[in-house]
Amino acid sequence: MSLNLQSDVSLKAFNSFGVDVRARLFAEAHDDEDAREALSLAAQRNVPLLVIGGGSNLLLTRDVEALVLRMASRGIRILSEDGEQVLVEAEAGEPWHPFVQWSLAQGLNGLENLSLIPGTVGAAPMQNIGAYGVEIKDLFAGLTALDRQTGELRDFTTEECAFAYRDSLFKREVGRWLILRVRFRLSRLASLRLDYGPVRQRLVEMGIEVPTATDVSQAICAIRSEKLPNPVELGNAGSFFKNPVVPFGLAERIRAEHADLVSYPAGDGLSKLAAGWLIERAGWKGFREGDAGVHRLQALVLVNYGQATGTQLLQLAQRIQADIRARFGVELEIEPNVL
Ligand SMILES: Cc1cc2nc3c(=O)[nH]c(=O)nc-3n(C[C@H](O)[C@H](O)[C@H](O)COP(=O)(O)OP(=O)(O)OC[C@H]3O[C@@H](n4cnc5c(N)ncnc54)[C@H](O)[C@@H]3O)c2cc1C
């Protein structure tokens, strides 16, 4: 299929903040050939190539002087079955949540805790998406990426991806790798993770005593729908800040003044603090200036009430960062990719 290259395209529908900036050039890749063609077109026209999936982890602060390539490749296949273990591969443009639902419908367990995360399969390894005690690195079995520098395909193992908390090699080597397809090792046997957040409690409320992976997925969808704004109704990119990891001593100094601090042990004398708790305690929850705001129920989520620009959202984020630094001595790191 040949690439349909368009000029001066609004990206409003292609980012979950609903920020209205324009792309100099725009195209959709339906297969590997399209991706290669986009790469050479960008080189010919001397513009950078920006690869996107669902745009649910992006903050666009200005018009994009690049060829924006939206991954739209589709296809899910079972590569091999070895008794209980099943190796599954999905193309980068597959929407994430329908892929999770497909796996559950096949009787494959593992991805249920990652239900209802927006975006695509191809972007999932970028920040090692995670929720409710599971990260994709736990199910990951490899990926194939196009090396944008050499034009060659390369397969990556889990170790080579260097996954960390909301991080990976691909996020660090910005613009080098175009992820084409991702493989997951799923299981015919359920090994459910119910101990994180209110999952177990929600299952009890649903009257389920012996849950299946599908039950867990439904419980998590219900919890997430109550907790997080739907980007279709209210622009947002999910959690805007990472949970900061700080020395244990700093966490204890904060706790001495705030007994209800939410924190978790993070190994090696470190503590992970709940960024949402810090922001809420600093009084930002529900804050709104123009159309940029902090969600009224979830302090970790910045929202666009309609016409906010990416710059206004970024300035709000920077004000929050400065305030948290001044009050608690803690650096908040922005999670979405800011452009
Ligand atoms: C309401 C809401 C809830 C969310 N909840 C969670 C959550 O629980 N856990 C979590 O981890 N995240 C969460 N997110 C963030 C987001 O859903 C994930 O980061 C998701 O993986 C982004 O996918 P995407 O296709 O939209 O990526 P995009 O936003 O399009 O892109 C993200 C980054 O990946 C790059 N990229 C995209 N596709 C490719 C590719 N094929 N090859 C190379 N680079 C690529 C882009 O250039 C960009 O740098 C949430 C977001 C929202 C809006």
mmCIF file with all atom_site columns, all heavy atoms in Angstrom, residues 156-168:
data_model
loop_
_atom_site.group_PDB
_atom_site.id
_atom_site.type_symbol
_atom_site.label_atom_id
_atom_site.label_alt_id
_atom_site.label_comp_id
_atom_site.label_asym_id
_atom_site.label_entity_id
_atom_site.label_seq_id
_atom_site.pdbx_PDB_ins_code
_atom_site.Cartn_x
_atom_site.Cartn_y
_atom_site.Cartn_z
_atom_site.occupancy
_atom_site.B_iso_or_equiv
_atom_site.pdbx_formal_charge
_atom_site.auth_seq_id
_atom_site.auth_comp_id
_atom_site.auth_asym_id
_atom_site.auth_atom_id
_atom_site.pdbx_PDB_model_num
ATOM 1   N N   . PHE A 1 156 ? 14.305 -7.420  19.650 1.00 0.00 ? 156 PHE A N   1
ATOM 2   C CA  . PHE A 1 156 ? 14.788 -7.109  21.003 1.00 0.00 ? 156 PHE A CA  1
ATOM 3   C C   . PHE A 1 156 ? 14.279 -8.143  21.995 1.00 0.00 ? 156 PHE A C   1
ATOM 4   O O   . PHE A 1 156 ? 13.104 -8.521  21.951 1.00 0.00 ? 156 PHE A O   1
ATOM 5   C CB  . PHE A 1 156 ? 14.262 -5.739  21.455 1.00 0.00 ? 156 PHE A CB  1
ATOM 6   C CG  . PHE A 1 156 ? 14.973 -4.582  20.830 1.00 0.00 ? 156 PHE A CG  1
ATOM 7   C CD1 . PHE A 1 156 ? 14.585 -4.121  19.583 1.00 0.00 ? 156 PHE A CD1 1
ATOM 8   C CD2 . PHE A 1 156 ? 16.023 -3.959  21.478 1.00 0.00 ? 156 PHE A CD2 1
ATOM 9   C CE1 . PHE A 1 156 ? 15.231 -3.047  18.997 1.00 0.00 ? 156 PHE A CE1 1
ATOM 10  C CE2 . PHE A 1 156 ? 16.680 -2.880  20.898 1.00 0.00 ? 156 PHE A CE2 1
ATOM 11  C CZ  . PHE A 1 156 ? 16.276 -2.424  19.652 1.00 0.00 ? 156 PHE A CZ  1
ATOM 12  N N   . THR A 1 157 ? 15.154 -8.574  22.903 1.00 0.00 ? 157 THR A N   1
ATOM 13  C CA  . THR A 1 157 ? 14.725 -9.411  24.025 1.00 0.00 ? 157 THR A CA  1
ATOM 14  C C   . THR A 1 157 ? 14.297 -8.483  25.173 1.00 0.00 ? 157 THR A C   1
ATOM 15  O O   . THR A 1 157 ? 14.549 -7.265  25.125 1.00 0.00 ? 157 THR A O   1
ATOM 16  C CB  . THR A 1 157 ? 15.882 -10.282 24.550 1.00 0.00 ? 157 THR A CB  1
ATOM 17  O OG1 . THR A 1 157 ? 16.891 -9.386  25.048 1.00 0.00 ? 157 THR A OG1 1
ATOM 18  C CG2 . THR A 1 157 ? 16.454 -11.162 23.444 1.00 0.00 ? 157 THR A CG2 1
ATOM 19  N N   . THR A 1 158 ? 13.726 -9.069  26.205 1.00 0.00 ? 158 THR A N   1
ATOM 20  C CA  . THR A 1 158 ? 13.301 -8.271  27.361 1.00 0.00 ? 158 THR A CA  1
ATOM 21  C C   . THR A 1 158 ? 14.489 -7.511  27.955 1.00 0.00 ? 158 THR A C   1
ATOM 22  O O   . THR A 1 158 ? 14.383 -6.315  28.229 1.00 0.00 ? 158 THR A O   1
ATOM 23  C CB  . THR A 1 158 ? 12.698 -9.188  28.441 1.00 0.00 ? 158 THR A CB  1
ATOM 24  O OG1 . THR A 1 158 ? 11.707 -9.996  27.823 1.00 0.00 ? 158 THR A OG1 1
ATOM 25  C CG2 . THR A 1 158 ? 12.090 -8.401  29.575 1.00 0.00 ? 158 THR A CG2 1
ATOM 26  N N   . GLU A 1 159 ? 15.621 -8.209  28.128 1.00 0.00 ? 159 GLU A N   1
ATOM 27  C CA  . GLU A 1 159 ? 16.785 -7.567  28.748 1.00 0.00 ? 159 GLU A CA  1
ATOM 28  C C   . GLU A 1 159 ? 17.245 -6.378  27.911 1.00 0.00 ? 159 GLU A C   1
ATOM 29  O O   . GLU A 1 159 ? 17.590 -5.322  28.435 1.00 0.00 ? 159 GLU A O   1
ATOM 30  C CB  . GLU A 1 159 ? 17.953 -8.560  28.894 1.00 0.00 ? 159 GLU A CB  1
ATOM 31  C CG  . GLU A 1 159 ? 17.720 -9.675  29.901 1.00 0.00 ? 159 GLU A CG  1
ATOM 32  C CD  . GLU A 1 159 ? 16.641 -10.647 29.450 1.00 0.00 ? 159 GLU A CD  1
ATOM 33  O OE1 . GLU A 1 159 ? 16.539 -10.911 28.223 1.00 0.00 ? 159 GLU A OE1 1
ATOM 34  O OE2 . GLU A 1 159 ? 15.872 -11.130 30.315 1.00 0.00 ? 159 GLU A OE2 1
ATOM 35  N N   . GLU A 1 160 ? 17.233 -6.547  26.594 1.00 0.00 ? 160 GLU A N   1
ATOM 36  C CA  . GLU A 1 160 ? 17.724 -5.475  25.710 1.00 0.00 ? 160 GLU A CA  1
ATOM 37  C C   . GLU A 1 160 ? 16.831 -4.226  25.758 1.00 0.00 ? 160 GLU A C   1
ATOM 38  O O   . GLU A 1 160 ? 17.284 -3.130  25.452 1.00 0.00 ? 160 GLU A O   1
ATOM 39  C CB  . GLU A 1 160 ? 17.829 -5.986  24.267 1.00 0.00 ? 160 GLU A CB  1
ATOM 40  C CG  . GLU A 1 160 ? 18.992 -6.947  24.077 1.00 0.00 ? 160 GLU A CG  1
ATOM 41  C CD  . GLU A 1 160 ? 18.923 -7.707  22.755 1.00 0.00 ? 160 GLU A CD  1
ATOM 42  O OE1 . GLU A 1 160 ? 17.836 -7.800  22.155 1.00 0.00 ? 160 GLU A OE1 1
ATOM 43  O OE2 . GLU A 1 160 ? 19.975 -8.218  22.343 1.00 0.00 ? 160 GLU A OE2 1
ATOM 44  N N   . CYS A 1 161 ? 15.570 -4.415  26.145 1.00 0.00 ? 161 CYS A N   1
ATOM 45  C CA  . CYS A 1 161 ? 14.665 -3.253  26.206 1.00 0.00 ? 161 CYS A CA  1
ATOM 46  C C   . CYS A 1 161 ? 14.924 -2.387  27.434 1.00 0.00 ? 161 CYS A C   1
ATOM 47  O O   . CYS A 1 161 ? 14.450 -1.252  27.497 1.00 0.00 ? 161 CYS A O   1
ATOM 48  C CB  . CYS A 1 161 ? 13.206 -3.714  26.228 1.00 0.00 ? 161 CYS A CB  1
ATOM 49  S SG  . CYS A 1 161 ? 12.717 -4.544  24.715 1.00 0.00 ? 161 CYS A SG  1
ATOM 50  N N   . ALA A 1 162 ? 15.662 -2.912  28.414 1.00 0.00 ? 162 ALA A N   1
ATOM 51  C CA  . ALA A 1 162 ? 16.013 -2.161  29.639 1.00 0.00 ? 162 ALA A CA  1
ATOM 52  C C   . ALA A 1 162 ? 14.781 -1.486  30.253 1.00 0.00 ? 162 ALA A C   1
ATOM 53  O O   . ALA A 1 162 ? 14.789 -0.276  30.510 1.00 0.00 ? 162 ALA A O   1
ATOM 54  C CB  . ALA A 1 162 ? 17.110 -1.141  29.334 1.00 0.00 ? 162 ALA A CB  1
ATOM 55  N N   . PHE A 1 163 ? 13.745 -2.281  30.471 1.00 0.00 ? 163 PHE A N   1
ATOM 56  C CA  . PHE A 1 163 ? 12.523 -1.723  31.048 1.00 0.00 ? 163 PHE A CA  1
ATOM 57  C C   . PHE A 1 163 ? 12.747 -1.271  32.486 1.00 0.00 ? 163 PHE A C   1
ATOM 58  O O   . PHE A 1 163 ? 13.463 -1.926  33.248 1.00 0.00 ? 163 PHE A O   1
ATOM 59  C CB  . PHE A 1 163 ? 11.401 -2.778  31.053 1.00 0.00 ? 163 PHE A CB  1
ATOM 60  C CG  . PHE A 1 163 ? 10.862 -3.119  29.692 1.00 0.00 ? 163 PHE A CG  1
ATOM 61  C CD1 . PHE A 1 163 ? 10.896 -4.423  29.223 1.00 0.00 ? 163 PHE A CD1 1
ATOM 62  C CD2 . PHE A 1 163 ? 10.310 -2.129  28.874 1.00 0.00 ? 163 PHE A CD2 1
ATOM 63  C CE1 . PHE A 1 163 ? 10.391 -4.746  27.970 1.00 0.00 ? 163 PHE A CE1 1
ATOM 64  C CE2 . PHE A 1 163 ? 9.803  -2.442  27.622 1.00 0.00 ? 163 PHE A CE2 1
ATOM 65  C CZ  . PHE A 1 163 ? 9.844  -3.762  27.171 1.00 0.00 ? 163 PHE A CZ  1
ATOM 66  N N   . ALA A 1 164 ? 12.140 -0.146  32.826 1.00 0.00 ? 164 ALA A N   1
ATOM 67  C CA  . ALA A 1 164 ? 12.143 0.322   34.217 1.00 0.00 ? 164 ALA A CA  1
ATOM 68  C C   . ALA A 1 164 ? 10.783 0.978   34.449 1.00 0.00 ? 164 ALA A C   1
ATOM 69  O O   . ALA A 1 164 ? 9.921  0.941   33.564 1.00 0.00 ? 164 ALA A O   1
ATOM 70  C CB  . ALA A 1 164 ? 13.273 1.314   34.428 1.00 0.00 ? 164 ALA A CB  1
ATOM 71  N N   . TYR A 1 165 ? 10.606 1.579   35.612 1.00 0.00 ? 165 TYR A N   1
ATOM 72  C CA  . TYR A 1 165 ? 9.321  2.217   35.938 1.00 0.00 ? 165 TYR A CA  1
ATOM 73  C C   . TYR A 1 165 ? 9.019  3.328   34.925 1.00 0.00 ? 165 TYR A C   1
ATOM 74  O O   . TYR A 1 165 ? 9.744  4.305   34.859 1.00 0.00 ? 165 TYR A O   1
ATOM 75  C CB  . TYR A 1 165 ? 9.379  2.754   37.377 1.00 0.00 ? 165 TYR A CB  1
ATOM 76  C CG  . TYR A 1 165 ? 8.259  3.696   37.741 1.00 0.00 ? 165 TYR A CG  1
ATOM 77  C CD1 . TYR A 1 165 ? 6.926  3.294   37.677 1.00 0.00 ? 165 TYR A CD1 1
ATOM 78  C CD2 . TYR A 1 165 ? 8.533  4.984   38.164 1.00 0.00 ? 165 TYR A CD2 1
ATOM 79  C CE1 . TYR A 1 165 ? 5.905  4.168   38.007 1.00 0.00 ? 165 TYR A CE1 1
ATOM 80  C CE2 . TYR A 1 165 ? 7.521  5.867   38.511 1.00 0.00 ? 165 TYR A CE2 1
ATOM 81  C CZ  . TYR A 1 165 ? 6.208  5.452   38.414 1.00 0.00 ? 165 TYR A CZ  1
ATOM 82  O OH  . TYR A 1 165 ? 5.196  6.318   38.743 1.00 0.00 ? 165 TYR A OH  1
ATOM 83  N N   . ARG A 1 166 ? 7.980  3.131   34.116 1.00 0.00 ? 166 ARG A N   1
ATOM 84  C CA  . ARG A 1 166 ? 7.559  4.054   33.053 1.00 0.00 ? 166 ARG A CA  1
ATOM 85  C C   . ARG A 1 166 ? 8.730  4.474   32.165 1.00 0.00 ? 166 ARG A C   1
ATOM 86  O O   . ARG A 1 166 ? 8.874  5.630   31.769 1.00 0.00 ? 166 ARG A O   1
ATOM 87  C CB  . ARG A 1 166 ? 6.913  5.314   33.655 1.00 0.00 ? 166 ARG A CB  1
ATOM 88  C CG  . ARG A 1 166 ? 5.664  5.066   34.447 1.00 0.00 ? 166 ARG A CG  1
ATOM 89  C CD  . ARG A 1 166 ? 4.520  4.550   33.583 1.00 0.00 ? 166 ARG A CD  1
ATOM 90  N NE  . ARG A 1 166 ? 3.305  4.430   34.369 1.00 0.00 ? 166 ARG A NE  1
ATOM 91  C CZ  . ARG A 1 166 ? 2.994  3.344   35.105 1.00 0.00 ? 166 ARG A CZ  1
ATOM 92  N NH1 . ARG A 1 166 ? 3.798  2.294   35.116 1.00 0.00 ? 166 ARG A NH1 1
ATOM 93  N NH2 . ARG A 1 166 ? 1.879  3.321   35.793 1.00 0.00 ? 166 ARG A NH2 1
ATOM 94  N N   . ASP A 1 167 ? 9.565  3.494   31.836 1.00 0.00 ? 167 ASP A N   1
ATOM 95  C CA  . ASP A 1 167 ? 10.772 3.821   31.085 1.00 0.00 ? 167 ASP A CA  1
ATOM 96  C C   . ASP A 1 167 ? 11.276 2.593   30.322 1.00 0.00 ? 167 ASP A C   1
ATOM 97  O O   . ASP A 1 167 ? 10.985 1.450   30.702 1.00 0.00 ? 167 ASP A O   1
ATOM 98  C CB  . ASP A 1 167 ? 11.851 4.308   32.062 1.00 0.00 ? 167 ASP A CB  1
ATOM 99  C CG  . ASP A 1 167 ? 12.959 5.070   31.357 1.00 0.00 ? 167 ASP A CG  1
ATOM 100 O OD1 . ASP A 1 167 ? 12.731 5.573   30.251 1.00 0.00 ? 167 ASP A OD1 1
ATOM 101 O OD2 . ASP A 1 167 ? 14.067 5.130   31.919 1.00 0.00 ? 167 ASP A OD2 1
ATOM 102 N N   . SER A 1 168 ? 12.028 2.843   29.278 1.00 0.00 ? 168 SER A N   1
ATOM 103 C CA  . SER A 1 168 ? 12.647 1.762   28.500 1.00 0.00 ? 168 SER A CA  1
ATOM 104 C C   . SER A 1 168 ? 13.765 2.366   27.662 1.00 0.00 ? 168 SER A C   1
ATOM 105 O O   . SER A 1 168 ? 13.890 3.592   27.558 1.00 0.00 ? 168 SER A O   1
ATOM 106 C CB  . SER A 1 168 ? 11.629 1.129   27.550 1.00 0.00 ? 168 SER A CB  1
ATOM 107 O OG  . SER A 1 168 ? 11.350 2.040   26.490 1.00 0.00 ? 168 SER A OG  1
#
